[in-house]
Amino acid sequence: KTEDFIRRNLAGQKTKQAQSRRRMLEKLERLERPEDNWQLAGKISLRFQTGGDLGGKEIVRAPHITVGYPGKPILKDVTVNVFRGDRVGIVGPNGCGKSTLLKTLVGQLPPLEGTVERGVGVRLGYFDQKLDSLSEDRTAIEEIQSVRGDLSPEAVRSYLAKFRFFGDDPFRTVRGFSGGERSRLALAKMLLFPRNVLVLDEPTNHLDIPARETLEHALDDYEGTLIVVSHDRFFLDRICKRLLVFENDTLKAYLGNYSDWRRHRQEQDAAQATPDEKPVERIAPSSSELSRAAKKERERTQRRLERLVESLEAEIARIETELGELRAQLSADHKGDWQKLHALADRERELDDQLGRRMEDWEKASAELQAFLER
Ligand SMILES: Nc1ncnc2c1ncn2[C@@H]1O[C@H](COP(=O)(O)OP(=O)(O)OP(=O)(O)O)[C@@H](O)[C@H]1O
Ligand SMILES: [Mg+2]
């Protein structure tokens, strides 16, 4: 365990990379935010049901298709195959055709050439970036009832509460909804039925951080197949196992998460650049450029993060010591005292769990500190 801990620690140091400001802020916010309704709602249970049957081995088969609009091909002769249990992220610059590709894969848009086949038993949920499936004049309750007429208004309200529609919210019309509310309602609508394939087009765009976290949690546990378009690096890293990348008018497959891919790209770029073209090292703003107040605030945040990391390290050390002692007792002669042995074994499991959780916390906190220092 300790070795594991050290190894992870070292790996973390080596892969140090400049983190985007957004991600840093996001993480700090994640840390500081008091428990709110969304989290509570998440705890109540926001699980994405597959309905048991995960579908056949092949979910989508689209060999040599051309994707685009009549007279406007966007991707020519690309092959997309998605298998059961895949967790695919699709990335590319704005306007390159990610949404168009998703629409083609889900069957909302015919390919210009070739055919797209979806496996038997596929029950697909599609989250449209434009949220076109919502009607401006309907209330949240009516939206839900438009697909599940059998649910009573009361049942609908308690379902909507899981998506943080409380009090009067279920009675308001879509017209008055914010982007975040629209996204949450579209997700709520999509997840009324079990789905074994989720196709999500920038689902986190309008979501605030707690909502995003709840969605991430639900997707972590989701057992079906996932195809996700996102610009959210954190989200992609957590959710996707492989990528399809729009590059030079075509689609490239990459086995690995988003950070792996970025690193891979940077290495390639660095190898290609001639010596004097190599990227200039980023220079931190000098202290005089920061206002006094900003500087103070920065120091406070840094101290807070450092303290957090330190206290977690101390706790991990404490747990490891106790575990060591316990294991020594466990392997010593117990003289037939089974009750005592049981108690020791229980305590060992408990401590082991605790250790795992604290290590996760430590990993998060130190990544946060690192990102902060590299800002
Ligand atoms: N209905 C349409 N008819 C013709 N062209 C369209 C249509 N919808 C989108 N396009 C064009 O197709 C191209 C790809 O658009 P698409 O929305 O698929 O990109 P995207 O990668 O999803 O972009 P974003 O990152 O902004 O979501 C763009 O040039 C866009 O203007
Ligand atoms: Mg799009």
Side-chain angles (χ1 to χ4, degrees):
K1 270 278 150 85
T2 315
E3 270 165 24
D4 209 350
F5 178 61
I6 291 167
R7 199 164 49 239
R8 282 195 277 180
N9 186 356
L10 289 176
Q13 298 292 338
K14 251 194 288 183
T15 58
K16 248 201 242 184
Q17 282 191 9
Q19 311 272 344
S20 74
R21 188 182 158 78
R22 178 182 162 287
R23 183 171 168 206
M24 194 276 305
L25 283 172
E26 187 177 301
K27 283 186 145 192
L28 288 181
E29 274 188 75
R30 281 174 193 236
L31 200 75
E32 278 167 356
R33 172 173 38 80
E35 184 148 280
D36 69 359
N37 287 337
W38 245 106
Q39 274 196 323
L40 291 176
K43 280 191 185 140
I44 294 167
S45 95
L46 183 54
R47 292 188 70 95
F48 295 171
Q49 308 288 346
T50 57
D53 171 21
L54 298 180
K57 192 165 180 301
E58 285 185 308
I59 301 293
V60 177
R61 218 170 96 90
H64 305 287
I65 51 166
T66 293
V67 173
Y69 303 92
K72 189 181 175 186
I74 293 174
L75 275 176
K76 287 184 191 160
D77 189 22
V78 294
T79 295
V80 179
N81 291 321
V82 178
F83 298 96
R84 182 181 55 217
D86 247 350
R87 297 168 80 90
V88 189
I90 297 180
V91 297
N94 290 107
C96 67
K98 302 181 295 295
S99 298
T100 308
L101 175 63
L102 283 197
K103 282 199 179 345
T104 311
L105 297 181
V106 302
Q108 283 203 358
L109 184 73
L112 296 176
E113 274 170 47
T115 48
V116 177
E117 286 173 45
R118 278 166 298 277
V120 279
V122 163
R123 287 184 310 275
L124 203 139
Y126 170 52
F127 180 90
D128 184 350
Q129 182 182 6
K130 299 265 152 46
L131 302 172
D132 282 344
S133 71
L134 301 176
S135 309
E136 298 288 323
D137 296 328
R138 284 191 189 139
T139 64
I141 293 186
E142 285 165 351
E143 272 295 344
I144 298 295
Q145 284 182 325
S146 74
V147 270
R148 283 292 301 269
D150 56 315
L151 293 179
S152 70
E154 264 323 297
V156 173
R157 282 184 71 181
S158 70
Y159 178 70
L160 281 170
K162 286 189 186 180
F163 295 84
R164 214 178 45 175
F165 290 96
F166 295 116
D168 289 341
D169 296 340
F171 301 104
R172 290 165 49 215
T173 49
V174 170
R175 189 178 312 285
F177 279 180
S178 68
E181 286 170 322
R182 283 166 192 252
S183 298
R184 287 190 268 121
L185 184 56
L187 281 169
K189 221 174 136 181
M190 186 179 84
L191 298 168
L192 275 169
F193 297 100
R195 314 280 189 180
N196 52 19
V197 181
L198 295 179
V199 178
L200 311 175
D201 198 349
E202 310 213 11
T204 61
N205 258 12
H206 303 284
L207 297 183
D208 54 15
I209 288 158
R212 218 179 292 161
E213 236 173 38
T214 303
L215 177 64
E216 285 168 2
H217 253 291
L219 290 176
D220 275 344
D221 294 337
Y222 179 64
E223 292 182 325
T225 306
L226 272 172
I227 306 175
V228 183
V229 167
S230 179
H231 290 284
D232 185 334
R233 171 192 180 141
F234 194 83
F235 183 78
L236 282 169
D237 267 349
R238 176 151 170 191
I239 301 304
C240 299
K241 299 254 183 299
R242 69 176 181 106
L243 296 180
L244 291 174
V245 184
F246 278 78
E247 224 176 74
N248 306 326
D249 294 328
T250 188
L251 206 57
K252 294 211 170 120
Y254 185 81
L255 205 66
N257 71 17
Y258 187 75
S259 290
D260 297 337
W261 175 71
R262 290 295 304 178
R263 212 173 300 132
H264 173 76
R265 275 301 305 273
Q266 276 164 6
E267 281 164 16
Q268 274 190 334
D269 289 351
Q272 275 169 13
T274 57
D276 54 335
E277 277 176 340
K278 283 228 170 92
V280 194
E281 230 176 282
R282 228 159 37 98
I283 299 161
S286 77
S287 54
S288 62
E289 287 170 57
L290 294 170
S291 77
R292 270 180 101 81
K295 210 174 144 190
K296 263 216 157 115
E297 178 59 34
R298 210 189 129 85
E299 282 167 5
R300 253 202 306 276
T301 308
Q302 182 176 337
R303 265 202 309 280
R304 182 175 58 74
L305 286 170
E306 281 169 350
R307 266 201 306 271
L308 180 66
V309 171
E310 277 165 24
S311 70
L312 284 167
E313 279 168 358
E315 207 181 335
I316 287 168
R318 186 189 59 72
I319 298 172
E320 300 227 54
T321 311
E322 192 181 338
L323 256 179
E325 286 163 5
L326 201 69
R327 286 184 177 142
Q329 284 182 47
L330 271 167
S331 58
D333 183 10
H334 50 83
K335 302 194 178 77
D337 188 350
W338 294 105
Q339 221 166 357
K340 188 177 168 204
L341 201 64
H342 266 297
L344 288 174
D346 280 349
R347 178 71 185 146
E348 187 198 17
R349 255 197 309 280
E350 201 179 300
L351 282 174
D352 209 41
D353 275 359
Q354 258 182 34
L355 185 61
R357 280 197 300 274
R358 287 293 91 85
M359 279 184 176
E360 266 178 40
D361 292 345
W362 177 87
E363 254 168 340
K364 266 192 224 155
S366 53
E368 234 156 73
L369 177 61
Q370 215 165 64
F372 180 81
L373 293 174
E374 282 168 351
R375 196 168 98 186

